[in-house]
Amino acid sequence: MKNIIMLDKVSIIRDDVYIVKNIHWNIKKGENWAVIGRNGSGKSFLLRVISTIIYASEGDVTIYGEKPGNTDIWELRKKIGVVSDYLQREYYDTISVLNTVISGFFSSIGLYHTATDEQIEKSILILDKLGISHLSHRMYGQLSQGEQKRVLIARALVFDPDLLILDEPTTGLDIASREDFLKLLSKVISFGHNIILVTHHIDEIIPEISDILFMKNGSIYESGKKSSMMKPKHLNRVLDFKFKVKKKHGRYWAAL
Ligand SMILES: Nc1ncnc2c1ncn2[C@@H]1O[C@H](COP(=O)(O)OP(=O)(O)OP(=O)(O)O)[C@@H](O)[C@H]1O
Ligand SMILES: [Mg+2]
C-alpha cells in the first residue's frame, strides 16, 4: 500500500530545545493509528506537523506526495481534517451548529464568508450522516461537550478528507457519551476516512485501529502493528506505570 504520510528524521525545536526529535514515521493508506505517550511527550506537536499547522524544524515531511513548504497548503489541508481540544475551547458560543460545520470550508473559527448553496447542502448532509441533524439550529455554546465534539467532527469532514486527526477527543465525556463517540469514530472509518487518534486511554483503541505509535520524551519509543505493540512490557515502559493489559471485545483494558 502507498505511503500517504512520510516523516523522515523530523525534529521540532523551540527556544533551542528539541521538543520532538528524529521521528521516522510512515502511514499507509488504509491504516488507522493511535498515538500514545505521557503528558509532554510531544504528541500534539508532532501531529501539528502532519496537520500542516506548523513546519518541522529539521527533517523531511511528505504528505500525500507533497512537501508542506513547497505546495498550496490550502489544497493539502483539504485532505486532512483536525479535531482538537484547542478548537473546541476556542470556538464561538453564539454560532449555530450548521454554521460551525460550514466554517470548515473556510478553515476559520467562526463564519465570515457567505457559503454557497452547495456548501450548505454538503454541511446538512454530513450532519445527517453523523446522526446529529437535530442539533443543526442549536447554538454551539449551548451544546454539551460530547455534542460539541460530534459537531467538530462534522466540521472536519466537509472536504471529505482522507485523514482525520483527533487529539484527545474524548476529554470531558462521561462513559456513555465516550462510547457513543467511539462508535461515531468507527462509523467515520467505515465511510472510508482514516484516523490518527491521540489518547491516554488504551480502552479507546477501537478495533479499527491497526497501528500504534508510542512517544516518549519527544522520540518514538516503538511503533508498529497493534497486536505486537499492545503488550504490558511496552505500555509499562512508555507510560512509566506498571499495569496489566486485558483484551476483551476487541479492545484493551488496563488493570492494576
Ligand atoms: N517554547 C517551548 N520551549 C520549550 N518547550 C516547549 C515549548 N513549547 C512547548 N514545549 C514543551 O513541549 C513538550 C511537548 O508538548 P506537546 O503539547 O506536544 O505534548 P503532548 O504529548 O501533546 O502532551 P499532552 O498529553 O499533555 O497533551 C511539552 O513538554 C511542552 O512543555
Ligand atoms: Mg497534547
Side-chain angles (χ1 to χ4, degrees):
M1 269 287 196
K2 215 174 105 194
N3 281 326
I4 53 173
I5 309 278
M6 288 189 279
L7 303 185
D8 188 28
K9 295 189 196 142
V10 163
S11 297
I12 304 167
I13 304 169
R14 291 288 180 278
D15 301 325
D16 298 328
V17 177
Y18 277 90
I19 291 175
V20 165
K21 198 165 184 185
N22 199 27
I23 302 292
H24 294 264
W25 186 15
N26 288 343
I27 299 178
K28 290 188 166 49
K29 180 134 190 71
E31 290 175 345
N32 296 298
W33 284 76
V35 178
I36 295 179
R38 293 194 59 184
N39 294 128
S41 57
K43 304 179 297 296
S44 294
F45 269 90
L46 183 59
L47 290 184
R48 270 179 224 137
V49 170
I50 297 179
S51 322
T52 73
I53 296 166
I54 61 170
Y55 290 115
S57 314
E58 294 173 353
D60 204 29
V61 176
T62 313
I63 300 174
Y64 293 101
E66 307 284 347
K67 311 269 177 203
N70 231 337
T71 185
D72 180 348
I73 204 87
W74 295 103
E75 278 306 310
L76 192 52
R77 281 185 185 167
K78 290 180 182 172
K79 292 186 165 32
I80 302 165
V82 180
V83 175
S84 67
D85 243 22
Y86 171 78
L87 194 60
Q88 185 176 359
R89 277 197 309 273
E90 291 302 302
Y91 225 89
Y92 290 103
D93 286 353
T94 53
I95 180 171
S96 74
V97 163
L98 181 58
N99 282 347
T100 304
V101 177
I102 293 171
S103 72
F105 282 106
F106 308 103
S107 300
S108 58
I109 294 186
L111 186 60
Y112 312 98
H113 296 74
T114 308
T116 63
D117 288 348
E118 203 180 322
Q119 288 168 332
I120 296 169
E121 272 164 34
K122 180 79 188 283
S123 302
I124 292 171
L125 187 76
I126 293 171
L127 284 164
D128 191 40
K129 256 178 111 176
L130 298 188
I132 50 172
S133 40
H134 58 286
L135 299 177
S136 298
H137 300 293
R138 298 267 307 275
M139 290 294 135
Y140 175 85
Q142 291 172 355
L143 303 182
S144 75
Q145 289 207 42
E147 289 165 340
Q148 286 182 346
K149 285 176 203 290
R150 285 160 176 262
V151 170
L152 292 179
I153 289 208
R155 178 184 180 276
L157 295 182
V158 292
F159 286 120
D160 275 325
D162 286 286
L163 186 64
L164 185 63
I165 294 179
L166 303 125
D167 194 348
E168 297 188 41
T170 60
T171 312
L173 300 194
D174 65 44
I175 296 175
S177 303
R178 192 182 71 140
E179 288 304 315
D180 281 348
F181 187 85
L182 294 175
K183 273 195 204 127
L184 181 69
L185 281 192
S186 298
K187 199 168 174 179
V188 164
I189 292 170
S190 77
F191 292 154
H193 306 281
N194 291 135
I195 67 165
I196 303 178
L197 172 71
V198 178
T199 181
H200 288 295
H201 306 286
I202 62 168
D203 43 293
E204 292 181 357
I205 298 173
I206 49 177
E208 291 85 350
I209 300 273
S210 56
D211 293 80
I212 310 282
L213 181 90
F214 288 129
M215 292 284 293
K216 189 158 191 181
N217 302 327
S219 299
I220 293 181
Y221 165 81
E222 195 81 67
S223 72
K225 290 293 158 202
K226 181 172 67 175
S227 54
S228 51
M229 290 297 110
M230 293 303 287
K231 308 267 187 214
K233 64 172 183 184
H234 292 317
L235 285 158
N236 291 180
R237 275 190 215 142
V238 171
L239 300 174
D240 296 317
F241 192 72
K242 212 164 163 44
F243 58 93
K244 297 186 182 114
V245 179
K246 297 198 190 304
K247 192 171 181 200
K248 211 171 174 189
H249 307 305
R251 300 214 346 234
Y252 297 84
W253 307 85
L256 294 179

